[in-house]
Amino acid sequence: MPFAPTFPVRSLADVRRLEAVPFAQAVPVRSTYEIFKSSAQAFGDKTALTFLPGVDEQATPVRWTYAELLAGIHQTANLLHRLGVQPADAVAVLLPGCLEYHLALWGGEAAAIVQPLNPLLSEEKLVSLMTAGRARVLIAWGAEDEAGMWAKAMRIRTQVPTLRTVLRVAPSSTAPLPEGVLDFASLREREPDDRLVSGRDIARDDIAAYFHTGGTTGAPKLARHSHGAQVFTAWASVQLQGVQPDDVVINGYPLFHVAGVLPGSLAALSAGMEVVIPTHGLYRNREVIANYWRLVERHRVTVLSAVPTVLAALANVPVNGADISSLRYCRTGAAPLSPELAARFERLFGLHVHESLGMTEMAGISTITPPGVHAPAGCVGLRLPYAQIRIVALDDHGGATARELPPGEHGMVLFKAPNVFSGFVDEADNARAFTADGWLATGDLGWLDDKGRLHLTGRSKDLIIRSGHNIDPKVIEDALGSHPAVQLCAAVGAPDAYAGELPVAFATLVPGASATESELLAFTAERVDEAPARPRRVVVIERMPMTNVGKIYKPELRAMAASAVAETLCREHGVAHAQVRTDRDQRVVVAIDGEPPAALREALARLGFAIQPTRR
């Protein structure tokens, strides 16, 4: 049977009611392949996926039914099997938003281990990830786009020792295939579409996917997901979100990210929903944002799901008469939601924003605020059934201790749950992932209220440490974000020789709005109670740095803050023409023409900045 909500969940007591049924009885499904078999049997000719080639009404959507999706999954898995792919091999995927991505994902998991890749990563990092995963096949987009996927695929294919085959997904290309490259569509169509030729019996603990964490700076890590973990994420999401077969969601998350793959797709498809893919560019396509409310009206969308930065962009898009009454549930996650944005969204569109917590290490979902539960911004909802949560005190380095804290006290969030990942591929990466007694150390900071709901306050790695005083950047961000002219904002620590770090905030402005940096600084200072937490400076910038998922990218802001400190030091020591940059590890490098004054050299060294002679 497909997944369906047992009853409406509104409280921790309801979660405990679900737990009254033994886990094996509540979630008997062992693999993602079983999910698609059940959904095809139950929903057959109902639309599963709708791809929008464009946002205007003249662009004809391409629709696949549940039966067609399962047939394509069978064909893809059978093609991979015929190519010699074994269950322990990895199938790397380098695609934009498209229908074929779902064949690569779920057909890949039925045959082997799927490895979705962020196309915006450097070739060096892509090669490193594929080598670590021992990828045997690469399924790549055969047309050029902003990420240059095909060119990257052609350059990296000779650099991965285990790679044997590249399958080209070519939307309209008739260019000849390079040697060693095969056409995905033509080969897939030759395969049986009614069964797995391999006869594979997938166990709950079998590894389904390798998802990479971050990777925009430093070395990305490969997290292993079991089939059981992904299945549980889908089941729990359906239970707490009340997913119904007549629901429709626009999934604009990239499918190399757990949010788009698991809560965004697998959960929906396990319960008979229709998932709309908004062009190849997804939410990165500005036309999708500009026409979002019309798309809601046209496709009778019932669930709005987007990260806070996308919600902020949508808040600037007028409804202009579009009928959005079909929307019943608005959810967000992946990054903090400011109280001001939550209030503005509800005021403009009548939609309460329900927050959740998700992470790669928990197959995309950890806590959920169910429909009908109105909670303040920062509350990410209830734990999942059969999961455990603890809040523990921090040590001097921001790590987790064994001392558990009572409700209301702030500390690090720990989890045990059926969807906790199976560890990183590189065993060395697991040392800090778990506590000594086996709890997942999330790095998230938060507290539990008397209703058992989790409230997040930030990340331990984002704490600004000023003279031993831990400053939560969210306090600054909530204050600055409440200014009507501010669109997005973030606070980081700028290096300081005496205090260690001083808080600095960055902001972008609402289109058409104006505000000076001094005005924003005074506004924020009035609303931050603790004097050490008041920012030294507010910097207005044209563009907020973002990850490909839509999270604010704080490492770039830290580098900007550090560079500003270096430039100030150079001016104070009479060096007017220093060139300040950051290297690939976000370390500040100051290039000076000639020998710098000794006092400047000492001042820069105290902050860990490097000095190089100016290149001629």
Side-chain angles (χ1 to χ4, degrees), residues 13-65:
D14 292 331
V15 173
R16 289 171 176 154
R17 281 178 61 199
L18 288 170
E19 293 171 333
V21 178
F23 176 77
Q25 181 180 334
V27 193
V29 177
R30 296 185 302 163
S31 70
T32 59
Y33 171 62
E34 286 185 52
I35 283 178
F36 289 99
K37 285 181 64 178
S38 297
S39 292
Q41 184 175 6
F43 303 112
D45 292 334
K46 183 181 183 301
T47 298
L49 298 169
T50 297
F51 175 73
L52 307 181
V55 296
D56 54 71
E57 294 189 57
Q58 287 68 42
T60 303
V62 181
R63 293 185 169 89
W64 282 1
T65 66

Side-chain angles (χ1 to χ4, degrees), residues 79-85 89-93 130 134-140 150 153-154 156-158 160-168 177-184 187:
L79 170 58
L80 294 170
H81 177 69
R82 187 166 60 80
L83 291 172
V85 173
D89 292 331
V91 176
V93 184
M130 292 173 65
R134 301 183 60 80
R136 188 178 179 91
V137 171
L138 172 62
I139 301 176
W150 184 241
M154 290 298 93
I156 66 179
R157 63 180 177 141
T158 60
V160 180
T162 55
L163 191 66
R164 296 292 177 266
T165 307
V166 175
L167 293 172
R168 183 179 71 174
L177 293 170
E179 185 177 352
V181 177
L182 304 175
D183 181 69
F184 178 70
L187 290 179

Side-chain angles (χ1 to χ4, degrees), residues 155-293:
R155 287 193 293 268
I156 66 179
R157 63 180 177 141
T158 60
Q159 301 177 55
V160 180
T162 55
L163 191 66
R164 296 292 177 266
T165 307
V166 175
L167 293 172
R168 183 179 71 174
V169 177
S172 58
S173 174
T174 57
L177 293 170
E179 185 177 352
V181 177
L182 304 175
D183 181 69
F184 178 70
S186 61
L187 290 179
R188 178 176 65 81
E189 289 170 357
R190 302 175 194 172
E191 299 294 334
D193 64 2
D194 60 345
R195 67 193 186 281
L196 292 181
V197 172
S198 68
R200 184 184 179 196
D201 181 23
I202 304 171
R204 189 185 297 271
D205 292 336
D206 284 353
I207 301 302
Y210 294 151
F211 278 91
H212 60 78
T213 62
T216 318
T217 182
K221 297 176 289 189
L222 278 181
R224 299 181 299 165
H225 284 183
S226 68
H227 276 269
Q230 293 192 349
V231 166
F232 178 76
T233 284
W235 177 84
S237 297
V238 169
Q239 298 302 321
L240 268 70
Q241 294 174 353
V243 177
Q244 300 291 341
D246 58 355
D247 278 323
V248 180
V249 64
I250 294 176
N251 185 4
Y253 296 102
L255 291 176
F256 63 79
H257 191 272
V258 288
V261 175
L262 300 173
S265 294
L266 186 63
L269 297 170
S270 74
M273 281 181 72
E274 177 184 349
V275 177
V276 178
I277 305 169
T279 77
H280 294 310
L282 305 168
Y283 282 148
R284 289 173 60 84
N285 182 346
R286 294 181 180 178
E287 289 300 305
V288 170
I289 301 300
N291 291 275
Y292 189 86
W293 305 119

